[in-house]
Amino acid sequence: MKSLKRGSRLITLMLLLFLVGMGILIAKIQSEAAFYISNSGSRNLGFVYDCNGDILFDDNAEDGDYPAGYFKDVGNLIGDASGQMTNTLVANNMEYLSNYSFTSGITAKGGKAAIYSTLNHSANEAVYSSFGSKNGCAIAYNYKTGEILVCVSRPSVDPITGYADLEDGSLLCKPFYKTVPGSTQKISTLTAGIETMGIDKLMSKSFTCDGTYVNKTGKDIHCHNQYGHGTQNIAEAFANSCNPFFAQLVEDYDWSLDDIINVYTQMGYAVNGAENRYYSIDGITCARASTDLENKNEFNTQWSCIGQGTSMVSPCQLMMWQSAVANKTGKATMPYLIDHVTNVNGRTVKSAETAYSEKLFSADTAAEVKKIMLENGENYTGKIPGYTLGIKSGTAQVKNGDEENSLLTGFVDDDDFPIAFAILIENKNDYDVTTEAVANEILSSLS
């Protein structure tokens, strides 16, 4: 009798385990089937739309279905389903586009699976065109909500016309990849100075620029102004983008290297070989900034704090720092590209929510950096008219000094038009387009 009871309990347990296992298997098949179907030869994918309903991705599009170059401004950001590009919105969210359900199978027609993005296609096209023949990138978002409104990268690819004879870099959306920041790095160094010294002590510092400063290890730090800027405080040096001032500031006895490293690390830099992590923006990886700071009296460390040396920053992260300043919180508004997603039946299955980073620096520091950036923005009223701007430009030497890139990052100080942006123009020596002209196009096309 006892053995029969034990056998009965064992059979009951086995049946329960079997039923639980079947339940898990069915749930797994139901949840993952869309992914496998969307990556199969029999897939039927939905559309990606912009914020106004323009189509940004159509898996069945053929040459002639859309105006020539219609997808080129978003080609290396939205991507396609071919597998040629991996760090794109479609490649990392293809399961959302699958017109398939576990109960009814593949829906050949009438499926409503779709990604509704935050992008403004008409603004994107205008900004892409504003680069003329120049390569580079631009990104802009609402610094209160996190919605990415513009994100272009040149050269690009039109998925409809294919991948033959592409220019190098066409498959990379550059706002998410690191570049030499040039003097836009001085925003980080200014922030670190205020955060650790306080604004009163920092403003009390004055240094003289005669065009070249010989640092404490005997190396020359050159200014872009060969005649120098004379004696300045931090706000004047920031506006003048004065390299000798910032080199002397890094050397200052009131400032330790640990002070700089701690703030840089808190802002998201991988310093001195620390783990180089990534941000994820709806599946797209965005590289975090990195630099080496080893001896505050030595050329390479000073040069890194000025924006050359080993400092590398993505335009997207430059833009995110602007939100922490513009909002006066010291926390970055996290960017996103997907507003919402609908499944094959038209039901919303994912919606965006505004999120923030951990504290990058104090709210008091953010307020002081904002004040200095707004003062500098007054220098741009003739170049970018009609907006109250906090801004910083930069010039970055690349390719062993053979070329120079031009950068511009900033924000509009307007609660009704809260736009932050970052712009990179490669090989600026041909002055057929400027970062200010691209910024003008960003703001005018969005407003």
Side-chain angles (χ1 to χ4, degrees):
M1 183 67 79
K2 290 182 178 179
S3 62
L4 285 174
K5 287 183 177 179
R6 278 198 300 269
S8 176
R9 284 196 293 267
L10 181 60
I11 291 170
T12 302
L13 178 61
M14 291 175 67
L15 284 171
L16 282 173
L17 289 174
F18 174 76
L19 291 172
V20 169
M22 285 298 294
I24 292 172
L25 178 61
I26 291 170
K28 187 175 179 65
I29 291 172
Q30 188 163 358
S31 64
E32 297 183 4
F35 171 80
Y36 292 108
I37 291 295
S38 65
N39 284 278
S40 72
S42 59
R43 68 176 184 242
N44 177 47
L45 300 180
F47 298 104
V48 177
Y49 297 98
D50 87 330
C51 63
N52 297 310
D54 283 4
I55 293 173
L56 302 181
F57 166 76
D58 178 354
D59 195 37
N60 297 310
E62 296 179 357
D63 200 12
D65 289 348
Y66 295 88
Y70 178 83
F71 293 108
K72 196 161 189 177
D73 62 296
V74 293
N76 50 24
L77 169 63
I78 301 299
D80 60 17
S82 69
Q84 297 282 341
M85 295 178 281
T86 57
N87 199 32
T88 64
L89 194 70
V90 167
N92 291 286
N93 296 278
M94 206 180 299
E95 68 274 18
Y96 288 135
L97 295 171
S98 179
N99 279 314
Y100 171 87
S101 71
F102 182 66
T103 53
S104 58
I106 297 173
T107 303
K109 291 183 179 180
K112 298 178 181 178
I115 293 173
Y116 293 83
S117 79
T118 59
L119 292 168
N120 183 317
H121 190 210
S122 62
N124 228 54
E125 288 180 310
V127 174
Y128 186 87
S129 297
S130 73
F131 276 81
S133 61
K134 303 296 286 184
N135 289 333
C137 66
I139 184 169
Y141 82 153
N142 182 315
Y143 61 73
K144 291 189 178 295
T145 64
E147 299 160 283
I148 297 177
L149 304 171
V150 169
C151 185
V152 302
S153 180
R154 292 185 61 112
S156 188
V157 58
D158 187 342
I160 292 181
T161 58
Y163 295 87
D165 303 319
L166 290 179
E167 194 176 342
D168 286 348
S170 295
L171 304 185
L172 299 178
C173 193
K174 296 173 186 174
F176 306 119
Y177 293 85
K178 292 191 291 187
T179 188
V180 181
S183 285
T184 60
Q185 181 76 10
K186 288 168 181 163
I187 300 172
S188 298
T189 306
L190 168 68
T191 300
I194 296 173
E195 182 79 346
T196 54
M197 281 192 245
I199 188 62
D200 292 338
K201 180 178 283 188
L202 182 60
M203 285 296 292
S204 72
K205 304 287 181 183
S206 64
F207 302 105
T208 300
C209 167
D210 295 320
T212 298
Y213 171 66
V214 181
N215 75 4
K216 291 182 179 179
T217 58
K219 299 291 185 179
D220 289 345
I221 302 287
H222 296 292
C223 188
H224 64 89
N225 183 342
Q226 63 177 321
Y227 302 107
H229 293 108
T231 301
Q232 310 157 93
N233 63 23
I234 183 64
E236 294 164 334
F238 185 84
N240 291 327
S241 206
C242 180
N243 294 342
F245 180 98
F246 276 84
Q248 292 173 83
L249 178 62
V250 171
E251 287 181 341
D252 189 75
Y253 60 87
D254 275 330
W255 215 16
S256 73
L257 186 62
D258 284 344
D259 286 338
I260 306 172
I261 290 174
N262 288 340
V263 177
Y264 269 38
T265 300
Q266 196 166 309
M267 290 178 68
Y269 286 84
V271 181
N272 296 337
E275 180 186 359
N276 202 344
R277 297 162 295 161
Y278 293 85
Y279 293 106
S280 179
I281 301 172
D282 292 313
I284 294 174
T285 56
C286 176
R288 295 200 187 203
S290 60
T291 194
D292 294 304
L293 305 172
E294 297 176 344
N295 181 343
K296 74 193 203 88
N297 296 320
E298 187 263 336
F299 176 85
N300 286 332
T301 292
Q302 294 170 9
W303 210 223
S304 291
C305 290
I306 289 168
Q308 291 287 155
T310 60
S311 287
M312 299 285 283
V313 183
S314 73
C316 183
Q317 194 168 9
L318 277 175
M319 176 190 73
M320 289 166 63
W321 287 330
Q322 299 309 296
S323 71
V325 171
N327 288 325
K328 296 194 292 187
T329 61
K331 296 181 178 181
T333 307
M334 303 305 292
Y336 60 89
L337 277 162
I338 295 178
D339 180 78
H340 67 281
V341 173
T342 57
N343 66 9
V344 63
N345 300 312
R347 182 170 61 88
T348 299
V349 294
K350 172 184 169 72
S351 295
E353 293 183 1
T354 299
Y356 305 96
S357 72
E358 296 180 354
K359 189 182 79 168
L360 307 180
F361 38 84
S362 72
D364 288 343
T365 293
E368 296 298 343
V369 173
K370 181 175 183 177
K371 181 180 177 182
I372 290 174
M373 290 193 68
L374 285 170
E375 289 174 0
N376 188 44
E378 294 175 5
N379 298 324
Y380 289 80
T381 53
K383 301 174 185 177
I384 312 174
Y387 308 96
T388 302
L389 296 171
I391 212 160
K392 185 72 186 80
S393 63
T395 299
Q397 296 176 355
V398 296
K399 298 183 179 179
N400 297 317
D402 293 335
E403 292 183 9
E404 289 186 335
N405 293 343
S406 182
L407 297 99
L408 190 71
T409 189
F411 58 88
V412 181
D413 188 27
D414 184 344
D415 286 339
D416 296 323
F417 191 54
I419 303 298
F421 57 86
I423 300 162
L424 164 68
I425 294 177
E426 298 172 1
N427 194 15
K428 77 178 185 72
N429 293 331
D430 298 326
Y431 287 96
D432 54 333
V433 64
T434 64
T435 51
E436 291 86 1
V438 176
N440 253 320
E441 192 61 61
I442 290 172
L443 300 180
S444 61
S445 61
L446 290 176
S447 63

